[in-house]
Amino acid sequence: MSDEIKVFCPATIANISCGFDVLGVALDAVGDEMTVRKTSEKGIRITKIDGQELPMATLKNVAGVAGLAFLAASDYKGGFEIEIYKKIKAGSGIGSSAASSTGAVWAMNELLDKPFSTLELVQFSMEGERLASGVAHADNVAPALFGGFTLVRSYKPLDIIPIPSPNELYATIIHPQIEVKTSDSRKILKTTISLSDGIKQWGNVGGLIAALFTNDYDLIGRSLEDHIVEPIRSILIPAFDDVKKTAIQSGALGCGISGSGPSIFAFSKGLEIAEKVEQAMKEIYKNIGIDYDIHVSKVNLEGVRKI
Ligand code: ADP
Protein backbone atom coordinates (compact mmCIF):
# COMPACT_ATOMS: atom_id res chain seq x y z
CA MET A 1 0.00 0.00 0.00
CA SER A 2 1.24 3.48 -0.88
CA ASP A 3 2.50 5.87 1.83
CA GLU A 4 1.37 8.97 -0.09
CA ILE A 5 -1.82 10.11 -1.82
CA LYS A 6 -2.86 13.19 -3.78
CA VAL A 7 -6.51 14.21 -3.63
CA PHE A 8 -8.97 16.68 -5.18
CA CYS A 9 -11.20 18.31 -2.53
CA PRO A 10 -14.32 19.86 -4.08
CA ALA A 11 -15.82 23.24 -3.32
CA THR A 12 -19.38 23.02 -1.98
CA ILE A 13 -22.50 25.17 -1.84
CA ALA A 14 -24.14 24.96 1.58
CA ASN A 15 -27.63 25.99 2.69
CA ILE A 16 -28.98 26.10 -0.92
CA SER A 17 -31.51 28.84 -0.03
CA CYS A 18 -34.05 26.93 2.05
CA GLY A 19 -31.78 24.43 3.85
CA PHE A 20 -29.75 26.46 6.37
CA ASP A 21 -27.17 24.14 8.01
CA VAL A 22 -28.76 21.01 6.51
CA LEU A 23 -28.43 21.07 2.69
CA GLY A 24 -25.27 21.13 0.56
CA VAL A 25 -23.95 20.12 -2.84
CA ALA A 26 -20.46 19.35 -4.16
CA LEU A 27 -19.04 21.05 -7.26
CA ASP A 28 -16.90 19.67 -10.06
CA ALA A 29 -15.15 22.67 -11.55
CA VAL A 30 -13.51 24.13 -8.46
CA GLY A 31 -11.61 22.62 -5.55
CA ASP A 32 -8.30 22.36 -3.68
CA GLU A 33 -5.62 19.71 -3.98
CA MET A 34 -3.73 18.07 -1.14
CA THR A 35 -0.89 15.60 -0.76
CA VAL A 36 -0.97 13.51 2.42
CA ARG A 37 1.95 11.30 3.48
CA LYS A 38 2.35 8.76 6.31
CA THR A 39 5.14 9.49 8.80
CA SER A 40 6.63 7.36 11.56
CA GLU A 41 6.52 10.45 13.79
CA LYS A 42 3.18 10.76 15.65
CA GLY A 43 0.76 13.65 15.07
CA ILE A 44 -0.08 15.89 12.09
CA ARG A 45 2.29 18.35 10.43
CA ILE A 46 1.28 20.86 7.75
CA THR A 47 4.45 21.13 5.69
CA LYS A 48 3.28 23.38 2.84
CA ILE A 49 0.40 25.71 1.97
CA ASP A 50 0.44 26.99 -1.58
CA GLY A 51 -1.83 29.69 -3.01
CA GLN A 52 -2.95 31.45 0.18
CA GLU A 53 -1.80 32.80 3.52
CA LEU A 54 -3.25 30.39 6.07
CA PRO A 55 -1.96 29.15 9.44
CA MET A 56 0.58 26.30 9.25
CA ALA A 57 0.18 25.40 12.96
CA THR A 58 -1.70 22.09 13.27
CA LEU A 59 -4.15 23.43 15.84
CA LYS A 60 -4.94 26.54 13.77
CA ASN A 61 -5.47 24.83 10.42
CA VAL A 62 -8.73 22.96 9.83
CA ALA A 63 -6.84 20.13 8.09
CA GLY A 64 -4.71 19.72 11.23
CA VAL A 65 -7.65 19.79 13.63
CA ALA A 66 -9.73 17.35 11.56
CA GLY A 67 -6.65 15.14 11.19
CA LEU A 68 -6.10 15.09 14.96
CA ALA A 69 -9.75 14.04 15.48
CA PHE A 70 -9.12 11.19 13.02
CA LEU A 71 -5.91 10.14 14.82
CA ALA A 72 -7.57 10.25 18.25
CA ALA A 73 -10.18 7.73 17.06
CA SER A 74 -7.66 5.53 15.23
CA ASP A 75 -5.29 2.84 16.52
CA TYR A 76 -2.62 3.86 13.96
CA LYS A 77 0.65 4.55 15.79
CA GLY A 78 2.29 6.93 13.27
CA GLY A 79 1.31 10.33 11.92
CA PHE A 80 0.79 12.30 8.69
CA GLU A 81 2.31 15.21 6.76
CA ILE A 82 0.00 17.41 4.72
CA GLU A 83 0.63 19.72 1.76
CA ILE A 84 -2.29 21.97 0.82
CA TYR A 85 -2.66 23.55 -2.63
CA LYS A 86 -5.42 26.14 -2.09
CA LYS A 87 -7.57 27.19 -5.02
CA ILE A 88 -10.73 28.00 -3.04
CA LYS A 89 -10.37 31.35 -1.29
CA ALA A 90 -10.95 31.24 2.48
CA GLY A 91 -14.10 33.12 3.47
CA SER A 92 -15.59 32.90 -0.03
CA GLY A 93 -18.62 30.87 1.05
CA ILE A 94 -17.91 27.84 -1.13
CA GLY A 95 -16.51 25.58 1.54
CA SER A 96 -12.82 26.47 1.62
CA SER A 97 -12.39 25.15 5.15
CA ALA A 98 -14.49 22.05 4.41
CA ALA A 99 -12.32 21.21 1.39
CA SER A 100 -9.20 21.09 3.59
CA SER A 101 -10.73 19.21 6.51
CA THR A 102 -12.42 16.60 4.31
CA GLY A 103 -9.40 16.21 2.01
CA ALA A 104 -7.17 15.51 5.01
CA VAL A 105 -9.33 12.85 6.68
CA TRP A 106 -10.39 11.17 3.42
CA ALA A 107 -6.75 10.85 2.35
CA MET A 108 -5.69 9.49 5.75
CA ASN A 109 -8.49 6.93 5.66
CA GLU A 110 -7.37 5.76 2.20
CA LEU A 111 -3.73 5.47 3.35
CA LEU A 112 -4.80 3.26 6.29
CA ASP A 113 -7.06 1.08 4.07
CA LYS A 114 -10.38 2.66 5.11
CA PRO A 115 -10.81 1.94 8.83
CA PHE A 116 -13.62 4.55 9.06
CA SER A 117 -16.99 4.96 7.32
CA THR A 118 -17.85 8.12 5.37
CA LEU A 119 -20.17 9.16 8.20
CA GLU A 120 -17.31 8.89 10.70
CA LEU A 121 -15.12 11.00 8.39
CA VAL A 122 -17.88 13.65 8.40
CA GLN A 123 -17.64 13.76 12.19
CA PHE A 124 -13.85 14.30 12.15
CA SER A 125 -14.18 17.00 9.46
CA MET A 126 -16.81 18.82 11.51
CA GLU A 127 -14.09 19.53 14.09
CA GLY A 128 -12.34 21.56 11.36
CA GLU A 129 -15.58 23.48 10.77
CA ARG A 130 -15.80 24.18 14.49
CA LEU A 131 -12.36 25.82 14.28
CA ALA A 132 -13.26 27.85 11.16
CA SER A 133 -16.67 29.14 12.19
CA GLY A 134 -17.23 28.31 15.85
CA VAL A 135 -19.96 25.80 14.95
CA ALA A 136 -19.38 22.16 13.97
CA HIS A 137 -21.78 22.27 11.01
CA ALA A 138 -21.85 19.47 8.42
CA ASP A 139 -23.58 21.08 5.43
CA ASN A 140 -20.29 21.59 3.52
CA VAL A 141 -18.32 18.58 4.73
CA ALA A 142 -21.13 16.08 4.04
CA PRO A 143 -21.40 16.79 0.28
CA ALA A 144 -17.59 17.10 0.01
CA LEU A 145 -17.28 13.53 1.37
CA PHE A 146 -20.38 11.84 -0.06
CA GLY A 147 -20.58 13.78 -3.35
CA GLY A 148 -23.78 15.14 -4.92
CA PHE A 149 -26.47 16.74 -2.74
CA THR A 150 -26.74 15.80 0.93
CA LEU A 151 -29.30 16.44 3.64
CA VAL A 152 -28.22 16.51 7.29
CA ARG A 153 -31.50 15.13 8.66
CA SER A 154 -30.23 15.23 12.24
CA TYR A 155 -27.10 16.39 14.05
CA LYS A 156 -27.68 14.34 17.21
CA PRO A 157 -27.30 11.57 16.23
CA LEU A 158 -25.63 12.54 12.95
CA ASP A 159 -27.83 11.28 10.10
CA ILE A 160 -26.87 12.20 6.55
CA ILE A 161 -28.99 11.39 3.52
CA PRO A 162 -27.38 11.49 0.04
CA ILE A 163 -29.87 12.94 -2.49
CA PRO A 164 -29.73 12.30 -6.27
CA SER A 165 -28.97 15.12 -8.68
CA PRO A 166 -30.73 15.73 -12.02
CA ASN A 167 -28.34 15.23 -14.93
CA GLU A 168 -28.65 18.64 -16.53
CA LEU A 169 -28.31 20.69 -13.36
CA TYR A 170 -25.52 23.30 -13.47
CA ALA A 171 -24.42 25.86 -10.90
CA THR A 172 -23.06 29.32 -11.65
CA ILE A 173 -21.21 30.77 -8.65
CA ILE A 174 -19.89 34.30 -8.45
CA HIS A 175 -17.57 35.45 -5.67
CA PRO A 176 -17.38 39.24 -5.28
CA GLN A 177 -13.95 39.95 -3.81
CA ILE A 178 -14.97 41.03 -0.35
CA GLU A 179 -14.43 38.74 2.62
CA VAL A 180 -17.29 37.68 4.87
CA LYS A 181 -16.17 35.43 7.73
CA THR A 182 -18.64 32.64 8.51
CA SER A 183 -18.28 33.48 12.18
CA ASP A 184 -19.32 37.12 11.49
CA SER A 185 -22.24 36.27 9.24
CA ARG A 186 -23.54 33.85 11.88
CA LYS A 187 -23.51 36.53 14.55
CA ILE A 188 -26.09 38.68 12.72
CA LEU A 189 -28.67 35.88 12.54
CA LYS A 190 -31.61 35.72 14.90
CA THR A 191 -31.86 32.60 17.06
CA THR A 192 -35.65 32.24 16.78
CA ILE A 193 -38.01 32.21 13.78
CA SER A 194 -41.73 32.75 13.44
CA LEU A 195 -44.06 29.81 12.83
CA SER A 196 -45.22 31.37 9.54
CA ASP A 197 -41.60 31.59 8.27
CA GLY A 198 -41.00 28.02 9.45
CA ILE A 199 -44.01 26.79 7.46
CA LYS A 200 -42.72 28.43 4.25
CA GLN A 201 -39.19 27.17 4.84
CA TRP A 202 -39.97 23.49 5.46
CA GLY A 203 -42.40 23.51 2.55
CA ASN A 204 -39.49 24.58 0.35
CA VAL A 205 -37.02 22.05 1.79
CA GLY A 206 -39.52 19.25 1.12
CA GLY A 207 -40.18 20.67 -2.37
CA LEU A 208 -36.48 20.82 -3.23
CA ILE A 209 -35.81 17.26 -2.06
CA ALA A 210 -38.82 15.94 -4.01
CA ALA A 211 -37.66 17.87 -7.10
CA LEU A 212 -34.14 16.42 -6.93
CA PHE A 213 -35.59 12.89 -6.73
CA THR A 214 -38.00 13.42 -9.63
CA ASN A 215 -35.83 15.61 -11.94
CA ASP A 216 -38.47 18.35 -11.71
CA TYR A 217 -36.51 21.47 -12.70
CA ASP A 218 -39.47 23.84 -12.28
CA LEU A 219 -40.05 22.60 -8.75
CA ILE A 220 -36.32 23.11 -8.00
CA GLY A 221 -36.82 26.74 -9.04
CA ARG A 222 -39.99 27.22 -6.99
CA SER A 223 -38.30 25.72 -3.91
CA LEU A 224 -35.19 27.91 -4.00
CA GLU A 225 -36.64 30.45 -1.56
CA ASP A 226 -35.24 31.48 1.79
CA HIS A 227 -37.50 33.42 4.15
CA ILE A 228 -35.19 33.26 7.13
CA VAL A 229 -31.47 33.81 6.44
CA GLU A 230 -31.24 35.50 3.03
CA PRO A 231 -33.16 38.65 4.00
CA ILE A 232 -30.58 39.27 6.77
CA ARG A 233 -27.34 38.04 5.20
CA SER A 234 -27.90 39.56 1.77
CA ILE A 235 -27.31 42.98 3.33
CA LEU A 236 -23.61 42.02 3.62
CA ILE A 237 -23.34 41.26 -0.12
CA PRO A 238 -23.02 44.17 -2.57
CA ALA A 239 -25.72 44.22 -5.30
CA PHE A 240 -27.21 40.91 -4.15
CA ASP A 241 -30.75 41.80 -5.27
CA ASP A 242 -29.55 42.88 -8.74
CA VAL A 243 -27.47 39.74 -9.21
CA LYS A 244 -30.42 37.55 -8.22
CA LYS A 245 -32.86 39.42 -10.46
CA THR A 246 -30.56 39.31 -13.48
CA ALA A 247 -29.75 35.60 -12.98
CA ILE A 248 -33.44 34.72 -12.98
CA GLN A 249 -34.16 36.99 -15.97
CA SER A 250 -31.37 35.14 -17.82
CA GLY A 251 -33.11 31.81 -17.27
CA ALA A 252 -31.76 30.52 -13.95
CA LEU A 253 -34.14 28.27 -12.00
CA GLY A 254 -33.28 30.12 -8.80
CA CYS A 255 -30.51 32.03 -7.07
CA GLY A 256 -29.33 32.55 -3.49
CA ILE A 257 -26.40 32.99 -1.12
CA SER A 258 -23.78 30.24 -1.17
CA GLY A 259 -23.03 29.21 2.40
CA SER A 260 -22.47 32.29 4.50
CA GLY A 261 -21.62 34.38 1.42
CA PRO A 262 -20.45 36.53 -0.17
CA SER A 263 -20.57 34.03 -3.07
CA ILE A 264 -23.92 33.87 -4.85
CA PHE A 265 -25.06 30.70 -6.65
CA ALA A 266 -27.66 30.14 -9.34
CA PHE A 267 -28.91 26.78 -10.60
CA SER A 268 -29.79 26.34 -14.27
CA LYS A 269 -31.02 23.56 -16.51
CA GLY A 270 -28.21 22.95 -19.01
CA LEU A 271 -24.78 24.47 -19.62
CA GLU A 272 -26.00 27.04 -22.14
CA ILE A 273 -28.29 28.80 -19.66
CA ALA A 274 -25.68 28.51 -16.86
CA GLU A 275 -23.21 30.37 -19.14
CA LYS A 276 -25.79 33.03 -19.98
CA VAL A 277 -26.33 33.53 -16.25
CA GLU A 278 -22.54 33.77 -15.83
CA GLN A 279 -22.34 36.66 -18.34
CA ALA A 280 -25.26 38.48 -16.73
CA MET A 281 -23.85 38.16 -13.20
CA LYS A 282 -20.41 39.39 -14.35
CA GLU A 283 -21.93 42.53 -15.87
CA ILE A 284 -23.39 43.61 -12.53
CA TYR A 285 -20.02 43.57 -10.73
CA LYS A 286 -18.16 45.03 -13.73
CA ASN A 287 -20.57 47.97 -13.71
CA ILE A 288 -20.04 48.73 -10.04
CA GLY A 289 -16.28 48.08 -10.13
CA ILE A 290 -16.08 45.05 -7.82
CA ASP A 291 -13.62 42.28 -8.78
CA TYR A 292 -14.97 38.74 -8.82
CA ASP A 293 -14.21 35.08 -9.50
CA ILE A 294 -16.85 33.11 -11.32
CA HIS A 295 -17.34 29.40 -11.97
CA VAL A 296 -19.83 27.30 -13.90
CA SER A 297 -19.95 23.74 -12.65
CA LYS A 298 -21.82 20.48 -12.90
CA VAL A 299 -22.68 18.73 -9.68
CA ASN A 300 -19.78 16.54 -8.47
CA LEU A 301 -21.30 13.14 -7.78
CA GLU A 302 -18.18 11.53 -6.34
CA GLY A 303 -16.94 13.97 -3.67
CA VAL A 304 -13.29 13.96 -2.57
CA ARG A 305 -11.24 11.77 -4.91
CA LYS A 306 -7.73 10.50 -5.61
CA ILE A 307 -5.91 12.25 -8.46
P1 ADP B 1 -15.50 29.09 3.90
O1 ADP B 1 -16.97 29.25 4.11
O2 ADP B 1 -15.09 29.47 2.52
O3 ADP B 1 -14.97 27.75 4.35
P2 ADP B 1 -14.86 30.11 6.43
O4 ADP B 1 -14.96 31.54 6.85
O5 ADP B 1 -15.82 29.12 6.97
O6 ADP B 1 -14.82 30.11 4.86
O7 ADP B 1 -13.43 29.51 6.84
C1 ADP B 1 -12.29 30.20 6.68
C2 ADP B 1 -11.61 30.35 8.04
O8 ADP B 1 -10.95 29.12 8.39
C3 ADP B 1 -10.55 31.42 7.96
O9 ADP B 1 -10.53 32.10 9.18
C4 ADP B 1 -9.26 30.63 7.80
O10 ADP B 1 -8.13 31.28 8.30
C5 ADP B 1 -9.55 29.36 8.59
N1 ADP B 1 -8.78 28.20 8.08
C6 ADP B 1 -7.92 27.44 8.79
N2 ADP B 1 -7.39 26.48 8.03
C7 ADP B 1 -7.92 26.60 6.80
C8 ADP B 1 -7.76 25.87 5.58
N3 ADP B 1 -6.92 24.83 5.47
N4 ADP B 1 -8.47 26.28 4.52
C9 ADP B 1 -9.31 27.33 4.61
N5 ADP B 1 -9.51 28.06 5.73
C10 ADP B 1 -8.83 27.69 6.82
Side-chain angles (χ1 to χ4, degrees):
M1 199 183 305
S2 171
D3 282 348
E4 179 180 308
I5 187 170
K6 192 165 183 192
V7 296
F8 171 78
C9 330
T12 43
I13 300 171
N15 300 340
I16 318 185
S17 297
C18 50
F20 181 69
D21 272 4
V22 299
L23 286 176
V25 63
L27 302 174
D28 227 8
V30 47
D32 291 346
E33 289 174 8
M34 289 170 102
T35 300
V36 179
R37 213 168 284 121
K38 278 176 158 176
T39 58
S40 49
E41 195 185 318
K42 278 187 171 176
I44 307 283
R45 267 191 338 127
I46 317 267
T47 52
K48 181 173 181 177
I49 302 178
D50 183 81
Q52 251 172 81
E53 288 291 319
L54 285 168
M56 300 278 286
T58 304
L59 288 173
K60 293 204 169 138
N61 194 298
V62 299
V65 169
L68 288 175
F70 177 104
L71 277 187
S74 160
D75 50 19
Y76 169 58
K77 300 280 177 274
F80 295 97
E81 259 174 25
I82 303 175
E83 293 172 8
I84 307 175
Y85 299 86
K86 282 306 285 184
K87 307 236 168 81
I88 315 171
K89 291 200 176 102
S92 58
I94 53 169
S96 176
S97 47
S100 289
S101 55
T102 56
V105 300
W106 191 85
M108 291 171 191
N109 203 43
E110 291 294 303
L111 290 174
L112 299 185
D113 206 15
K114 301 193 182 78
F116 295 112
S117 69
T118 309
L119 192 66
E120 287 169 313
L121 297 183
V122 170
Q123 266 159 330
F124 305 142
S125 306
M126 285 166 69
E127 293 308 314
E129 295 296 72
R130 193 194 303 281
L131 173 72
S133 70
V135 179
H137 58 103
D139 48 348
N140 288 105
V141 297
L145 284 163
F146 281 93
F149 284 84
T150 52
L151 168 75
V152 185
R153 191 205 57 82
S154 148
Y155 273 87
K156 277 187 187 157
L158 191 62
D159 187 6
I160 290 170
I161 323 288
I163 310 288
S165 172
N167 221 346
E168 291 177 84
L169 194 64
Y170 282 80
T172 308
I173 312 103
I174 191 157
H175 173 213
Q177 304 287 295
I178 56 155
E179 190 171 336
V180 177
K181 284 224 185 316
T182 305
S183 47
D184 294 340
S185 65
R186 270 185 184 269
K187 275 183 214 142
I188 63 168
L189 298 179
K190 295 185 205 139
T191 50
T192 55
I193 62 166
S194 69
L195 184 58
S196 61
D197 280 345
I199 290 167
K200 289 185 224 159
Q201 204 83 354
W202 54 68
N204 282 317
V205 175
L208 183 54
I209 300 293
L212 293 170
F213 269 95
T214 56
N215 299 325
D216 186 337
Y217 291 90
D218 290 336
L219 180 57
I220 292 176
R222 296 203 300 283
S223 307
L224 289 175
E225 281 187 345
D226 176 3
H227 296 277
I228 295 169
V229 178
E230 184 178 295
I232 300 171
R233 278 193 173 162
S234 57
I235 295 161
L236 300 175
I237 305 173
F240 175 81
D241 292 342
D242 289 344
V243 172
K244 181 168 177 168
K245 201 164 113 202
T246 199
I248 288 166
Q249 279 168 351
S250 306
L253 301 166
C255 177
I257 302 171
S258 177
S260 55
S263 289
I264 303 171
F265 79 95
F267 282 153
S268 301
K269 183 179 181 185
L271 180 59
E272 205 178 308
I273 298 176
E275 288 178 342
K276 225 172 123 192
V277 171
E278 178 189 24
Q279 289 310 320
M281 284 175 151
K282 277 181 178 177
E283 280 306 309
I284 302 273
Y285 286 123
K286 267 191 203 152
N287 288 341
I288 55 173
I290 293 181
D291 289 338
Y292 56 83
D293 286 331
I294 191 155
H295 311 280
V296 173
S297 180
K298 262 204 116 158
V299 171
N300 172 343
L301 298 176
E302 205 183 344
V304 188
R305 65 170 187 270
K306 186 170 185 252
I307 48 175

